[in-house]
Amino acid sequence: FSPEARSVCSKKKLVIDHDGGADDAFAITISLLNEKYFDGPKLVALTTSFGNVNLTQANINSDRILRVSERLDIPIYSGANKAFIEEMGSDRYFGLDGLGDTGYHAPGPVDIEMQPAAVALIELSKKYRGELIVVAIGPATNIALAVKLDPHFIHRLAHLYVGSGHIYSEAYPKAEFNAAMDPEAYHIVADSAVADKVTVVPFSQVIETLKIPIEWRKNVLGKIDTPIMRALNVYERVALPKETAWNLLDPAVAAIALYNEIVDEYKDSNNTIILEGCKVTKKRFRLRLTVAVDCKDEMVAGQLAVTVNGSSNDDKKPKFIIDNDAGGDDAMAIFLGLLYEKYFDGPKLVALTTANGNTKEDNVYHNNQKVLKVANRQDVPIYRGSKESIVTTPKVSDYYGVDGLGDTGETFPDLVPAQTEGAVNALINYSKLYEGNLTVITIGALTNVALAIKLDPNFLSRLSHLYIGAGHIHSEKYPLPEFNAHMDVEAYHIVVKNATPDKVTIFPFSQTKEYLSFSKDWRFNTLGKLDTEIIKEQNKYEKVALDKEESWQALDPATVALYLRPDLVAEYKYSKHDVYVCGDKRGIMKHDFVEKDKANVRVAYAVKSEDYKVFLLNVFGAELNDPARSKKA
């Protein structure tokens, strides 16, 4: 608004990630005016999230702000509608609609781009590599999703400015609004930050250094006779009477991003955040902490493509995806699905998606390649997924060996590479391609599925079903967290929080132990003696693990079996279900067995043990009765 303002980065591009309040409107209009009159960075997109208002209202408000600015050419990408775990409710500081409660009605449908905000952020960071500034002035959920989907996202940016948090002190003892709306998202961004790429502007420092009188806002800035300023006056009419000073965070962050010289002092900080009463101690995070000291008030105010294996959309045969962490148990689960498809006309395995767990994700990917090679099914595409958990990544297991498949040292030629698309996008795209006919079976950490839900809230509703092999039914006999759930507690919470019993079935490992615990003699000398190449390889993959145990209890193939043969389940129960995400009980399941209409998940509680053994022998032994095998022999 002031002719004294000038841009320091005229060749840059800009995205504003916001939550639709009057303070966001101020930040957006500052950026647009700076672009128009001072050759400032070009605003190439708005991305929206819940926060000041709900997501739908944030989208409407984006359109409204662009209309008054006469810039409807700027695309709007709709983003997160809720936090990763829990958010506090909005305080409606700027009114119920976020822009002064004027009773505004959009003149027509709001034009929203098809891509979700997090995906758009990633694509824009690639398109404008090294030139894109992102200003995040709401909950950090969209930014965190972009980071989890693409760990290189922040590194491709010119810079990320985050308006969030306080410098904690006696004067600022409580959580700041943006940070409190999604603390896990803030943690994810901090965990991925580097000092030369990320600047945090704490609200405490805006309050301390920008003590602008309300009268100046009303009678100096507010008297500028332009359509934009008249609109901003209306947008703030609910908030202004509440305060004696005008110190909005969002326009200050935008001004700092556009005109770095208004900052008198930067400090580097080892920055952390407390998550739901638990201080994250995994590591400390180095962030560039911006402290705006003695700025001139006027200056601040003035600134699938999915591979479908030849299948057609009208193919009604059930489809499934196995989301796995490729230990020996996952290998057996994948073999089981492929053999049942081949010899029993079972559902079609259309993809494998990988995640960190039994071993690091690089090994998981290579193990998936090996399994498909052994099964002679390299037509099944592999989509690589999460290398770490959403918040805290526990150490990977070596239960099945360091490489996850028994440390055999075997190498295979001509392995098929993974698809270029990531696992999360692939899950979403397949759910659209095979809507109502796709089952996802997750037998590792739930990170990929949780991120798919966060990126596309309709993901679960499009599935035929989601089977989860994870958790225990907590008891004195099973007092500790189960491995798959423990590997990403927040992901597990996200999935079950969005679950319904018609869509989600859980098979706890405790129930595998109770009903499907077989002797090592049966595993080695009955199942293990089947004379097939697959069983010979499977015996190698499990040798390291079997040497540690007195019995054979494999969750992953059992979970796949319950999908392929639901009649193996002797009893289902319905549960009002969640997981502890904090404290000494972190990773422990909460089950309240209730009637179906009060539940969020179905639990496969009891399984027919002898029928399951017969099923395994029939499926893994089917090759022995194959006429084609006899001809080869």
Side-chain angles (χ1 to χ4, degrees):
F1 301 108
S2 166
E4 298 176 16
R6 61 186 180 87
S7 170
V8 295
C9 44
S10 59
K11 294 183 180 179
K12 303 296 185 186
K13 307 297 186 294
L14 178 68
V15 173
I16 297 179
D17 183 73
H18 75 102
D19 58 349
D23 49 349
D24 303 89
F26 222 110
I28 293 166
T29 53
I30 281 178
S31 303
L32 290 171
L33 292 169
N34 187 60
E35 175 189 341
K36 182 175 182 178
Y37 294 111
F38 301 98
D39 194 28
K42 179 178 176 60
L43 185 62
V44 295
L46 297 179
T47 54
T48 62
S49 76
F50 73 99
N52 276 313
V53 292
N54 63 38
L55 180 63
T56 300
Q57 190 66 52
N59 290 335
I60 292 170
N61 291 356
S62 295
D63 179 80
R64 185 177 178 184
I65 295 161
L66 294 178
R67 283 182 185 278
V68 77
S69 303
E70 298 182 344
R71 286 300 304 273
L72 287 173
D73 58 298
I74 295 171
I76 303 168
Y77 296 91
S78 185
N81 66 350
K82 61 178 71 172
F84 272 91
I85 306 299
E86 301 287 348
E87 70 270 5
M88 64 181 190
S90 173
D91 57 7
R92 305 296 185 186
Y93 182 77
F94 296 104
L96 294 176
D97 72 355
L99 295 182
D101 291 340
T102 62
Y104 172 82
H105 295 285
V110 176
D111 187 12
I112 302 296
E113 301 297 316
M114 292 295 293
Q115 274 188 325
V119 175
L121 285 164
I122 292 168
E123 293 305 313
L124 289 167
S125 75
K126 294 176 180 177
K127 181 177 181 179
Y128 301 117
R129 183 185 296 265
E131 297 181 0
L132 184 66
I133 298 168
V134 174
V135 175
I137 48 178
T141 316
N142 290 332
I143 309 299
L145 279 169
V147 168
K148 297 309 295 185
L149 291 169
D150 183 348
H152 302 293
F153 166 67
I154 287 178
H155 296 277
R156 287 194 298 268
L157 299 180
H159 209 78
L160 170 64
Y161 290 87
V162 179
S164 189
H166 290 313
I167 295 179
Y168 181 78
S169 66
E170 289 185 3
Y172 300 100
K174 295 183 179 180
E176 181 273 335
F177 178 82
N178 285 346
M181 287 299 281
D182 197 341
E184 282 75 17
Y186 187 99
H187 167 82
I188 290 165
V189 175
D191 195 13
S192 303
V194 289
D196 62 346
K197 288 289 185 180
V198 179
T199 296
V200 174
V201 184
F203 190 30
S204 58
Q205 303 318 104
V206 173
I207 294 171
E208 288 298 310
T209 61
L210 299 181
K211 300 178 185 292
I212 301 173
I214 286 290
E215 291 305 311
W216 182 89
R217 166 64 183 89
K218 292 179 178 178
N219 298 321
V220 179
L221 185 63
K223 293 298 184 181
I224 296 175
D225 190 20
T226 65
I228 285 178
M229 184 51 66
R230 289 195 293 271
L232 292 174
N233 291 341
V234 170
Y235 299 163
E236 286 193 80
R237 69 178 190 162
V238 172
L240 286 175
K242 303 175 184 178
E243 303 293 347
T244 58
W246 186 70
N247 40 33
L248 296 184
L249 172 62
D250 294 3
V253 180
I256 289 168
L258 298 171
Y259 187 62
N260 296 164
E261 293 175 16
I262 65 174
V263 178
D264 277 358
E265 181 183 5
Y266 289 102
K267 288 187 177 181
D268 286 337
S269 170
N270 286 318
N271 178 240
T272 189
I273 187 170
I274 295 173
L275 300 178
E276 296 192 16
C278 294
K279 190 169 185 178
V280 177
T281 57
K282 181 185 69 162
K283 61 184 287 189
R284 295 183 68 80
F285 319 110
R286 185 162 181 79
L287 290 178
R288 191 179 187 192
L289 181 63
T290 302
V291 185
V293 181
D294 296 331
C295 298
K296 294 182 180 179
D297 296 341
E298 295 85 352
M299 190 69 77
V300 176
Q303 290 287 74
L304 177 64
V306 170
T307 301
V308 296
N309 303 322
S311 297
S312 61
N313 287 341
D314 61 354
D315 184 358
K316 300 303 182 183
K317 189 173 187 179
K319 312 296 190 300
F320 70 109
I321 291 172
I322 298 179
D323 183 71
N324 72 96
D325 58 354
D329 50 348
D330 302 82
M332 179 174 272
I334 296 167
F335 285 140
L336 185 66
L338 291 171
L339 291 171
Y340 194 74
E341 176 188 340
K342 180 176 182 179
Y343 293 109
F344 298 88
D345 194 29
K348 182 176 180 60
L349 181 64
V350 294
L352 298 176
T353 53
T354 66
N356 178 71
N358 273 313
T359 183
K360 62 183 182 180
E361 192 278 333
D362 286 345
N363 287 341
V364 175
Y365 161 50
H366 294 306
N367 292 349
N368 276 224
Q369 289 179 303
K370 293 175 184 177
V371 168
L372 293 178
K373 178 76 171 182
V374 169
N376 194 27
R377 281 298 305 274
Q378 290 182 283
D379 58 298
V380 177
I382 302 169
Y383 297 88
R384 299 188 67 172
S386 304
K387 293 181 178 290
E388 57 186 21
S389 306
I390 288 176
V391 176
T392 301
T393 305
K395 183 180 178 181
V396 298
S397 168
D398 61 357
Y399 182 76
Y400 290 99
V402 174
D403 73 353
L405 288 185
D407 296 332
T408 65
E410 290 181 313
T411 59
F412 294 88
D414 304 321
L415 297 177
V416 175
Q419 303 295 307
T420 56
E421 186 176 29
V424 176
N425 284 336
L427 286 167
I428 292 170
N429 287 334
Y430 274 108
S431 76
K432 294 175 180 177
L433 182 67
Y434 299 124
E435 184 166 355
N437 199 33
L438 177 70
T439 294
V440 173
I441 306 170
T442 179
I443 49 178
L446 275 71
T447 315
N448 292 331
V449 173
L451 290 174
I453 290 169
K454 295 304 299 179
L455 195 61
D456 183 348
N458 296 317
F459 169 69
L460 274 182
S461 67
R462 289 193 299 268
L463 297 183
S464 172
H465 212 77
L466 172 67
Y467 281 82
I468 298 170
H472 290 312
I473 295 177
H474 182 69
S475 65
E476 289 185 5
K477 189 174 181 180
Y478 302 105
L480 300 176
E482 181 273 334
F483 178 80
N484 286 346
H486 173 68
M487 283 302 293
D488 197 337
V489 176
E490 282 73 19
Y492 192 99
H493 172 78
I494 289 167
V495 174
V496 299
K497 185 180 178 183
N498 288 275
T500 62
D502 288 327
K503 290 290 184 180
V504 178
T505 294
I506 293 173
F507 186 43
F509 190 32
S510 58
Q511 306 318 101
T512 305
K513 289 173 172 285
E514 289 297 307
Y515 294 96
L516 304 179
S517 180
F518 305 127
S519 70
K520 288 171 67 173
D521 180 70
W522 183 87
R523 170 62 185 86
F524 278 124
N525 296 318
T526 303
L527 182 63
K529 289 297 185 182
L530 293 173
D531 188 21
T532 69
E533 289 304 313
I534 284 177
I535 283 294
K536 289 175 183 176
E537 288 298 318
Q538 184 63 39
N539 290 341
K540 297 175 189 176
Y541 298 161
E542 290 191 83
K543 186 177 186 308
V544 171
L546 284 169
D547 287 346
K548 303 173 184 177
E549 301 292 347
E550 296 301 319
S551 60
W552 182 67
Q553 307 161 330
L555 171 63
D556 295 2
T559 305
V560 171
L562 300 191
Y563 159 63
L564 299 174
R565 283 278 306 276
D567 60 303
L568 292 172
V569 179
E571 181 183 7
Y572 289 109
K573 288 189 176 184
Y574 293 98
S575 175
K576 189 176 181 181
H577 178 51
D578 204 348
V579 61
Y580 289 99
V581 297
C582 196
D584 294 339
K585 292 185 177 181
R586 177 175 168 82
I588 289 175
M589 302 292 107
K590 295 185 279 187
H591 278 286
D592 181 10
F593 292 110
V594 294
E595 295 299 317
K596 182 179 179 180
D597 61 349
K598 296 179 181 178
N600 60 327
V601 300
R602 182 178 70 168
V603 177
Y605 188 82
V607 182
K608 301 170 185 176
S609 303
E610 292 304 314
D611 289 357
Y612 177 65
K613 290 166 73 173
V614 171
F615 175 70
L616 291 180
L617 291 172
N618 286 341
V619 175
F620 282 103
E623 179 186 341
L624 300 175
N625 300 316
D626 186 356
R629 174 187 170 98
S630 301
K631 290 179 182 179
K632 288 180 182 179

